[in-house]
Amino acid sequence: MAKDYSGSPKLQQLELKRQRLTWILAVSGLCILCYFLGAWQSTNQAPSSRSDVYNRVGCDTGSPATAAAGLDFQSHHQLAVNNSEETVTIPPCELSYSEYTPCQDKERGRKFDRNMLKYRERHCPTKDELLRCLIPAPPNYKTPFKWPQSRDYAWYGNIPHKELSIEKAVQNWIQVEGDRFRFPGGGTMFPRGADAYIDDIGQLIPLTSGIIRTAIDTGCGVASWGAYLLKRDIVAMSFAPRDTHEAQVQFALERGVPAMIGIMASQRLPYPARAFDMAHCSRCLIPWHDFDGLYLIEVDRVLRPGGYWILSGPPINWKRYWRGWERTKEDLKQEQDAIEDVAKRLCWKKVTEKGDLAVWQKPINHIDCVKSRKIYHKPHICKSDNPDAAWYKNMETCITPLPEVRSSNEVAGGAVEKWPERAFAVPPRISSGSIPGITGEKFREDNELWRDRVTHYKRTISALPQGRYRNILDMNSYLGGFAAALLKYPVWVMNVVPANTDRDTLGVIYERGFIGTYHDWCEAFSTYPRTYDLIHASGVFSIYQDRCDITSILLEMDRILRPEGTVIFRDVVEVLVKIRSIMDGMRWKGQIMDHESGPFNPEKILVAVKTYWTGEAKKEQ
């Protein structure tokens, strides 16, 4: 047997194992020592609160009005949103632009055709004509009254126009009382007040059963009809042109009542087909029987099957009022006969005419209407037309067809639930599968999503449940989930669906019992300055970043936002960082926050507040 010797491989292996074990123990001991040393240092320097953690990276968890130093993501994120490298201070406009409405500018309107009042339609400035300044508030601007007090009062300094209080003094539209306006609720055709007038309507059609929820008021004045409908759970889209009666729509919005600048001229109203349960005209001066009944045909397009049209004023009850209207009996009778004829050709049924009111009802489907074309050749039923297309689309003298049905008792397009169940019931446009990719399940998930988000907003924006906000604008509404989640608060929401979108969901929003409009955010919105308390912009800038300058969109948001109003942006972080860099030069303050689901979600939230300043304050500086 061979004996072992010092150079044996076996002994060398044992020695190597001892050395490895020694090194492992030494390294392990060093690691443990470093761990305890680091833990001891962290304990001594740990932040006392979550806000301390944010402050170490230049963030601030104070109020939304507190500016936060943003992180620089440019070296990591290459999305090109705007080429500006540094903050540019945007100056204020001259005080003469205090009530500037870019797409309804009176000077620009004079260049267009006066036929059919086309010059009062939307005519937006070209890119070279856009203002690159901030619209100032009037020198004596004050925060509007809270709802419901705002329904009856507004500060004179916010809308310094007495014209209506003089021109409509007898009709009790508006009165000046010291430093404020008072709205008695009067109107041309309701001398006893809007409340009594609506009660008269309620004796003719069901206003309190939940069947009627959405309404449209053409030529609304200061929107007293819409204001007093709200307590009956009916929300009206009130509109009027910017004309010689200064600031009608501005007064309406100052009161906290839904309204837009608009006119029935040559283009369709910016609403989908089958949107409103009720339409109303109280001496709105629209020539309903002219142009082959074009304007009644447009009302028919936006009325829901079974919806009502209410008319008061000329020519209704002409036998009593013809002298006061300074028209002949023959002229007024001829006008009423012409309106009756158009309504009959549209297959409407006259419900009643009582006193100053006349009411017609649209059929629930077009089975009999199609048959009647053998008798009434005009207007014919439109063919190959998208009934919801309403952005810069001309009206047509043909009847918008209703969806086909199997029996004469079936509601075309599907019946909607009564209010308030309608708000969360699956809308007929979704249940029928007419909107690709959106199912009832996705609709319910969207409702849950926005309920959680609004709960998060409530923690972030404490003023939300306190009545601080009344007029809210949702720039990208999708299915209206944001508006639905706000139902318990004293607010109303103007839901906007971007024009020419691949998925047109505005009809769904109306079927839920909410109101809204189509709009292209590369252009100005149809409203006056300072008419919204809160603007919600979810994914808006990702949609428009390749279509127009985001600075122009931000300036438009500033124009329509009230001083000390709030904006909530939801978008990817690189977009929000660029928005933040622009708004720093706009007298806004804000901060970027994590998504409500946590810091790992790529979508973030930017909450911004417009600071208070006026044209006069700028002069004093």
Side-chain angles (χ1 to χ4, degrees), residues 6-54:
S6 59
S8 169
K10 186 174 182 179
L11 291 176
Q12 288 179 340
Q13 290 174 0
L14 290 173
E15 184 63 26
L16 288 172
K17 287 181 179 180
R18 291 191 191 96
Q19 290 177 0
R20 289 195 192 99
L21 181 61
T22 301
W23 276 107
I24 290 171
L25 291 173
V27 172
S28 298
L30 184 61
C31 290
I32 293 170
L33 179 63
C34 291
Y35 171 79
F36 282 109
L37 180 61
W40 176 75
Q41 290 177 336
S42 296
T43 303
N44 288 341
Q45 300 177 15
S48 59
S49 68
R50 186 180 178 189
S51 61
D52 291 336
V53 176
Y54 284 120

Side-chain angles (χ1 to χ4, degrees), residues 283 320-327:
R283 200 171 186 178
R320 176 182 177 184
Y321 293 114
W322 66 275
R323 286 189 179 89
W325 291 338
E326 297 181 349
R327 293 173 60 183

Side-chain angles (χ1 to χ4, degrees), residues 123-362:
H123 302 292
C124 297
T126 63
K127 185 177 181 181
D128 295 336
E129 295 174 314
L130 293 174
L131 294 180
R132 303 293 284 191
C133 54
L134 304 172
I135 301 297
N140 298 315
Y141 182 87
K142 296 180 183 179
T143 300
F145 292 94
K146 288 185 178 180
W147 183 265
Q149 191 180 11
S150 65
R151 187 194 70 179
D152 302 323
Y153 293 97
W155 296 113
Y156 172 78
N158 292 7
I159 313 175
H161 290 287
K162 294 183 179 180
E163 294 89 341
L164 283 175
S165 66
I166 299 170
E167 294 179 25
K168 303 293 182 180
V170 179
Q171 298 167 13
N172 249 357
W173 279 26
I174 184 171
Q175 296 175 356
V176 180
E177 296 181 350
D179 61 351
R180 67 189 67 185
F181 290 109
R182 186 169 73 87
F183 301 92
T188 308
M189 293 308 301
F190 32 95
R192 294 181 294 122
D195 223 12
Y197 175 79
I198 293 170
D199 286 340
D200 291 342
I201 295 174
Q203 294 177 8
L204 308 178
I205 59 176
L207 289 183
T208 58
S209 63
I211 294 174
I212 296 174
R213 164 62 182 173
T214 56
I216 183 169
D217 191 11
T218 55
C220 65
V222 294
S224 288
W225 188 71
Y228 283 86
L229 278 174
L230 287 168
K231 70 178 186 180
R232 296 165 172 84
D233 276 339
I234 297 174
V235 58
M237 175 68 81
S238 300
F239 72 85
R242 176 159 192 169
D243 59 9
T244 54
H245 293 158
E246 285 287 351
Q248 297 176 80
V249 167
Q250 191 175 14
F251 276 120
L253 287 157
E254 191 74 10
R255 299 175 69 182
V257 179
M260 287 180 64
I261 300 175
I263 189 170
M264 296 195 79
S266 67
Q267 296 175 348
R268 282 183 173 180
L269 299 173
Y271 317 119
R274 313 194 315 274
F276 299 99
D277 302 310
M278 175 170 60
H280 173 256
C281 163
S282 175
R283 200 171 186 178
C284 58
L285 305 180
I286 295 173
W288 296 111
H289 60 292
D290 285 352
F291 311 112
D292 296 322
L294 183 68
Y295 300 132
L296 273 184
I297 291 172
E298 175 62 3
V299 170
D300 180 79
R301 183 184 72 86
V302 299
L303 264 186
R304 197 181 308 285
Y308 298 93
W309 183 56
I310 302 164
L311 177 63
S312 65
I316 304 304
N317 206 0
W318 57 266
K319 293 179 181 178
R320 176 182 177 184
Y321 293 114
W322 66 275
R323 286 189 179 89
W325 291 338
E326 297 181 349
R327 293 173 60 183
T328 65
K329 293 181 179 180
E330 292 75 19
D331 180 35
L332 287 163
K333 182 180 184 305
Q334 184 179 9
E335 181 180 346
Q336 178 151 356
D337 289 344
I339 290 174
E340 301 270 11
D341 182 62
V342 174
K344 188 178 296 183
R345 290 171 181 272
L346 290 172
C347 306
W348 293 3
K349 178 183 72 174
K350 189 165 186 180
V351 176
T352 186
E353 181 175 334
K354 183 178 179 181
D356 298 341
L357 292 165
V359 181
W360 286 263
Q361 186 175 22
K362 178 178 176 176

Side-chain angles (χ1 to χ4, degrees), residues 345-347 363 365-377 379-383 399-405:
R345 290 171 181 272
L346 290 172
C347 306
N365 59 59
H366 272 170
I367 288 181
D368 291 334
C369 198
V370 171
K371 296 177 182 177
S372 71
R373 293 311 93 186
K374 295 178 181 178
I375 301 172
Y376 301 115
H377 301 293
H380 65 277
I381 294 178
C382 303
K383 297 180 180 178
I399 301 173
T400 300
L402 291 173
E404 293 185 2
V405 294

Side-chain angles (χ1 to χ4, degrees), residues 464-527:
L464 184 60
Q466 299 172 3
R468 167 66 181 80
Y469 306 108
R470 171 63 183 170
N471 302 349
I472 296 180
L473 176 69
D474 190 356
M475 297 175 69
N476 185 22
S477 298
Y478 188 43
L479 301 178
F482 177 57
L486 290 172
L487 275 176
K488 61 183 177 181
Y489 300 117
V491 303
W492 66 271
V493 180
M494 178 69 78
N495 295 281
V496 175
V497 170
N500 304 318
T501 181
D502 292 336
R503 274 194 302 194
D504 181 357
T505 54
L506 190 55
V508 168
I509 291 169
Y510 273 96
E511 287 180 342
R512 299 188 69 174
F514 305 121
I515 59 171
T517 181
Y518 295 110
H519 185 67
D520 182 346
W521 286 110
C522 290
E523 299 179 1
F525 196 63
S526 292
T527 192

